[in-house]
Structures are given as structure tokens and as C-alpha cells.
Amino acid sequence: MEVALVSLLILCILHSGSGLSLNYYDKTCPNYEVTVTAAVKQAMATDNTVPAALLRMHFHDCFVRGCDGSVLLDSTSNNTAEKAGPPNVSLHAFYVIDNAKSAIEAECPGVVSCADILALAARDAVALSGGPTWKVPVGRLDGRISRASETSLLPAPTSNFAQLQQRFNQLNLSVKDLVTLSGGHTLGFAHCSSFQNRIHSFNSVNDIDPTLNPSFASLLRKACPANNTIQNAGATLDATSKVFDNMYYKMLLSGMSLFSSDAALLTHPKTKGFITTFANSQEAFNLAFVKSMLRMSSLTGGQEVRLNCRTVR
């Protein structure tokens, strides 16, 4: 039944006027998908941080001007690009998209957009980390505008529930999408700065966020002391941070989440219900994640197909 709903959602996206299609490149570049997967696999063989990086990169692309590859553009002498915005300075693994693009350009010049390559790479990152796979509708165009100032549109790790809900509503994404896409935090690592507010000087009464598990908070304080000067200090987002699973939700219910934005999901009965469902069922999370990724990645807004993902034509 759930698989049928995913298929129905894909059909709705294909007929929504987004311009996306499952056979968009069938005649012009039939091997595009295999080529992207090969680039992701090659990068993962030497760098196990790649899956989390690609998934986060896709999220950050879609939440600013839609999924148009604008996050891939480099800054120029007269423009500071999204890459340089405060939430994006820790993004990495852009070389994976560059490698996939170069391989595709050698076979099908000027056909496949960077935005599509990123959407496919994010899907592969999930699937190759033990998560679900899905058909990615393609036909996105690449955007020509990329402004660091617009990264303020990205949900912050310090956001409360109302702020998160408002931003998702602006993109026609539901509170279920909010909880589900937050599950992307099952992969990766966070620097101290993104959760320092919960473990030092939380408020005028408590030094530590009282919703944090005390033992977990103690571990975080050891990794990130108040006077921390180690640039790469931080913590993994969950206990199995290289595997796409539902551990994030289990830890969230146990008071062992990193971000204020994670803990905020427990403050609303509806979202807490979704968290409990996903913590109890990997299958339920996987199916919901596919549907939410399809909805998010159908946010389009580009104008061209770039020849180089880092520069406009």
C-alpha cells in the first residue's frame, strides 16, 4: 500500500507542472544515472563523510531558491555565493558533483543539469548507506543566482518549533515532512558551535538544557568545553552516524539529540507522534523519507544547464 502511495506521489509530481520526468534524459543521455552513482561510490571508497555531505548539500540547495544547484556556484569578485553563507561554510564534497558532471559532459555535453546530479547523488548517498532507494524525477534546471545572504532562509540548529514550521510551510512542506527530513541527521557530524547553546549557559537558571540526558550532556561538554579552541571538535549526529537508520529518533526520545531544532520536535504532540512511529519502525521511516525527499526535491527554479557546476554559462 505504502509503495503504491510513493508511486502515486511520483505521478502527481510528474503532472504538477514542475517539468520533471522519469524519462527526461532517456534519449539524450541514457547513462546519466549510472555515471552519478559511480562517482558517489568512488568518493565513498576513500571518504566515509561523503554521504552525509551530499545529503546536507541537497537540503541546503532546495531550501534556497528551490533545487537549482545554486549551492554549487562559487563566489565571484562581485558576488558572495551561498557556499560562503554561515550555514554552508562547513559543506564539503563538492568534488563528487564536479566528477560526476565531468564524466557526464564527456558523454552528453550540455544536457544534464547540476541540480539533477545533486538530487541523484543525495539519493545514492542514502541508498549506499543502507537506506532506501527511489526513482528520482529529473529535468531540473540550474539557477544563475547564488547569494550568501539568502542562506538565512535555511532552518537553523537553534530554531524553535514555530520557526521550523513556518519555514517548511513556506515551501509547502508539512510538519510530517519536517520530522521526516530531520531524520537525515542519522548521517554525519556536527561542530560544537551548532549545539554549544545547549551545553553551556543555556539560560539564566540552567547551564545545561534540562531536556538533555545528563550523561549525554556530560559527554558533549567533554567534547566541547566552554573554552574550546579545537576547530574540528564536535559530535556525531547519532550513535550509528555512517548508517542510514532510525537511531536518530530513538536517541531523540531518550534526550540524546544535538540541536535545539531536534529537541523542538518533541514539543508538539503531532510531531512527537511521528518521532515515536519512526523510532519503532525503520520501514515506516524509510517510506516516509522517500515521500518527503520526493516532495522537497520537486521544488524547482532554475533557468539553464550549466557546463560547469561552479560557474554560470
Side-chain angles (χ1 to χ4, degrees), residues 133-195:
T133 190
W134 61 93
K135 288 286 186 183
V136 177
V138 289
R140 296 167 190 80
L141 293 175
D142 297 321
R144 298 178 56 83
I145 298 171
S146 182
R147 298 180 180 133
S149 59
E150 293 183 352
T151 59
S152 61
L153 294 169
L154 291 165
T158 55
S159 297
N160 60 36
F161 179 77
Q163 292 167 328
L164 293 168
Q165 184 180 31
Q166 179 184 37
R167 183 62 188 130
F168 272 69
N169 281 345
Q170 288 169 346
L171 298 174
N172 291 317
L173 296 172
S174 68
V175 291
K176 185 174 184 179
D177 292 322
L178 165 59
V179 176
T180 304
L181 293 174
S182 293
H185 291 166
T186 185
L187 296 175
F189 176 90
H191 292 98
C192 297
S193 58
S194 59
F195 57 88

Side-chain angles (χ1 to χ4, degrees), residues 196-209:
Q196 196 88 358
N197 65 302
R198 300 188 74 198
I199 58 173
H200 299 291
S201 305
F202 178 67
N203 60 27
S204 59
V205 177
N206 300 292
D207 192 33
I208 300 171
D209 183 344

Side-chain angles (χ1 to χ4, degrees), residues 5-310:
L5 289 174
V6 170
S7 299
L8 181 61
L9 176 60
I10 291 176
L11 283 173
C12 289
I13 290 169
L14 300 183
H15 292 90
S16 67
S18 65
L20 302 183
S21 165
L22 290 176
N23 57 7
Y24 192 85
Y25 298 120
D26 281 4
K27 293 182 179 179
T28 55
C29 197
N31 296 322
Y32 73 97
E33 199 161 2
V34 174
T35 304
V36 173
T37 303
V40 175
K41 283 182 176 178
Q42 182 180 28
M44 286 178 64
T46 56
D47 184 355
N48 61 14
T49 70
V50 161
L54 293 174
L55 185 56
R56 184 167 176 246
M57 193 186 299
H58 184 46
F59 285 163
H60 284 218
D61 184 36
C62 294
F63 270 76
V64 180
R65 293 183 173 269
C67 312
D68 65 347
S70 55
V71 74
L72 304 171
L73 288 168
D74 287 340
S75 296
T76 63
S77 59
N78 59 3
N79 180 65
T80 305
E82 288 173 37
K83 274 183 184 176
N88 287 343
V89 291
S90 60
L91 290 179
H92 68 286
F94 291 101
Y95 73 91
V96 182
I97 307 303
D98 293 336
N99 290 347
K101 179 64 169 174
S102 294
I104 288 174
E105 284 299 305
E107 188 174 342
C108 327
V111 173
V112 180
S113 69
C114 299
D116 275 342
I117 292 171
L118 180 52
L120 290 160
R123 185 275 314 273
D124 290 338
V126 170
L128 294 170
S129 298
T133 190
W134 61 93
K135 288 286 186 183
V136 177
V138 289
R140 296 167 190 80
L141 293 175
D142 297 321
R144 298 178 56 83
I145 298 171
S146 182
R147 298 180 180 133
S149 59
E150 293 183 352
T151 59
S152 61
L153 294 169
L154 291 165
T158 55
S159 297
N160 60 36
F161 179 77
Q163 292 167 328
L164 293 168
Q165 184 180 31
Q166 179 184 37
R167 183 62 188 130
F168 272 69
N169 281 345
Q170 288 169 346
L171 298 174
N172 291 317
L173 296 172
S174 68
V175 291
K176 185 174 184 179
D177 292 322
L178 165 59
V179 176
T180 304
L181 293 174
S182 293
H185 291 166
T186 185
L187 296 175
F189 176 90
H191 292 98
C192 297
S193 58
S194 59
F195 57 88
Q196 196 88 358
N197 65 302
R198 300 188 74 198
I199 58 173
H200 299 291
S201 305
F202 178 67
N203 60 27
S204 59
V205 177
N206 300 292
D207 192 33
I208 300 171
D209 183 344
T211 66
L212 273 173
N213 176 291
S215 298
F216 183 67
S218 179
L219 289 173
L220 294 181
R221 282 166 67 95
K222 286 178 183 176
C224 302
N227 59 349
N228 175 60
T229 57
I230 302 173
Q231 187 174 0
N232 292 322
T236 56
L237 292 175
D238 76 10
T240 55
S241 62
K242 301 296 188 291
V243 180
F244 191 93
D245 58 18
N246 63 342
M247 181 60 71
Y248 162 80
Y249 297 106
K250 294 177 180 180
M251 292 183 68
L252 181 53
L253 287 173
S254 300
M256 295 189 286
S257 60
L258 290 187
F259 305 144
S260 295
S261 58
D262 294 326
L265 302 179
L266 292 169
T267 63
H268 191 279
K270 190 172 184 180
T271 50
K272 188 173 183 179
F274 293 136
I275 291 166
T276 303
T277 297
F278 297 156
N280 290 330
S281 172
Q282 177 73 50
E283 183 182 10
F285 169 48
N286 284 352
L287 288 167
F289 191 80
V290 169
K291 289 190 280 187
S292 291
M293 284 292 284
L294 285 167
R295 275 192 284 269
M296 182 190 74
S297 67
S298 68
L299 301 168
T300 56
Q303 300 84 34
E304 65 178 16
V305 175
R306 279 182 230 138
L307 302 181
N308 180 328
C309 292
R310 294 173 180 262

